[in-house]
Amino acid sequence: MPKMKTKKSAAKRFKVTGSGKITYNKSGNRHNSTKKSSKRKRRLRKNTTISHAMSRRTKTMIQA
Protein backbone atom coordinates (compact mmCIF):
# COMPACT_ATOMS: atom_id res chain seq x y z
CA MET A 1 0.00 0.00 0.00
CA PRO A 2 1.44 3.42 -0.90
CA LYS A 3 2.30 6.11 1.59
CA MET A 4 -0.42 8.56 2.57
CA LYS A 5 0.07 12.04 1.16
CA THR A 6 0.27 15.07 3.43
CA LYS A 7 -2.65 17.49 3.14
CA LYS A 8 -0.65 20.61 2.27
CA SER A 9 -3.41 23.03 3.26
CA ALA A 10 -3.45 21.54 6.77
CA ALA A 11 0.36 21.38 7.00
CA LYS A 12 0.55 25.14 6.38
CA ARG A 13 -1.99 25.91 9.11
CA PHE A 14 -0.95 23.59 11.95
CA LYS A 15 2.33 22.96 13.77
CA VAL A 16 3.23 20.20 16.23
CA THR A 17 4.89 21.25 19.49
CA GLY A 18 7.61 19.29 21.27
CA SER A 19 5.07 17.68 23.60
CA GLY A 20 2.95 16.55 20.65
CA LYS A 21 0.17 19.11 20.90
CA ILE A 22 -1.00 20.94 17.77
CA THR A 23 -0.98 24.74 17.61
CA TYR A 24 -2.61 27.08 15.13
CA ASN A 25 -3.30 30.79 14.66
CA LYS A 26 -6.79 32.05 15.43
CA SER A 27 -8.90 33.42 12.62
CA GLY A 28 -10.46 36.86 12.40
CA ASN A 29 -7.38 39.07 12.60
CA ARG A 30 -6.95 40.08 8.95
CA HIS A 31 -9.26 43.07 8.51
CA ASN A 32 -12.16 45.04 10.08
CA SER A 33 -10.04 45.51 13.18
CA THR A 34 -11.53 48.93 13.99
CA LYS A 35 -14.76 47.22 15.11
CA LYS A 36 -12.95 44.83 17.44
CA SER A 37 -11.94 45.67 20.99
CA SER A 38 -8.29 45.82 22.02
CA LYS A 39 -8.80 42.83 24.28
CA ARG A 40 -10.22 40.78 21.43
CA LYS A 41 -7.39 41.73 19.05
CA ARG A 42 -4.81 40.85 21.70
CA ARG A 43 -6.36 37.38 22.14
CA LEU A 44 -6.37 36.86 18.36
CA ARG A 45 -2.60 37.49 18.17
CA LYS A 46 -1.79 34.45 20.31
CA ASN A 47 -1.44 30.89 19.05
CA THR A 48 -3.71 28.31 20.62
CA THR A 49 -3.77 24.53 20.87
CA ILE A 50 -6.29 22.39 19.06
CA SER A 51 -8.88 20.42 21.03
CA HIS A 52 -8.16 16.83 22.00
CA ALA A 53 -11.05 15.58 19.83
CA MET A 54 -9.60 17.13 16.66
CA SER A 55 -5.94 16.35 17.33
CA ARG A 56 -5.83 12.76 16.02
CA ARG A 57 -7.59 13.72 12.78
CA THR A 58 -5.26 16.68 12.26
CA LYS A 59 -2.12 14.65 13.00
CA THR A 60 -3.20 12.18 10.31
CA MET A 61 -3.61 15.00 7.81
CA ILE A 62 -0.21 16.55 8.50
CA GLN A 63 1.61 13.22 8.97
CA ALA A 64 3.07 14.07 12.38
Side-chain angles (χ1 to χ4, degrees), residues 25-30 36-47:
N25 287 317
K26 290 185 178 174
S27 62
N29 204 17
R30 296 278 184 195
K36 295 163 192 162
S37 65
S38 301
K39 183 179 180 181
R40 184 173 165 192
K41 287 186 278 189
R42 199 177 322 120
R43 281 199 313 260
L44 288 170
R45 279 201 300 264
K46 310 266 170 126
N47 288 351

Side-chain angles (χ1 to χ4, degrees), residues 21-33:
K21 293 177 183 174
I22 298 173
T23 59
Y24 68 100
N25 287 317
K26 290 185 178 174
S27 62
N29 204 17
R30 296 278 184 195
H31 58 90
N32 293 341
S33 56

Side-chain angles (χ1 to χ4, degrees), residues 1-38:
M1 190 165 157
K3 292 182 188 177
M4 193 172 137
K5 285 188 174 181
T6 302
K7 302 279 187 275
K8 288 298 186 178
S9 58
K12 290 169 188 173
R13 286 169 173 82
F14 301 108
K15 191 176 82 171
V16 182
T17 62
S19 61
K21 293 177 183 174
I22 298 173
T23 59
Y24 68 100
N25 287 317
K26 290 185 178 174
S27 62
N29 204 17
R30 296 278 184 195
H31 58 90
N32 293 341
S33 56
T34 52
K35 297 177 181 180
K36 295 163 192 162
S37 65
S38 301

Side-chain angles (χ1 to χ4, degrees), residues 46-62:
K46 310 266 170 126
N47 288 351
T48 185
T49 55
I50 204 163
S51 68
H52 182 69
M54 287 289 291
S55 63
R56 189 189 299 171
R57 211 176 323 171
T58 310
K59 278 183 183 175
T60 308
M61 286 194 289
I62 61 175

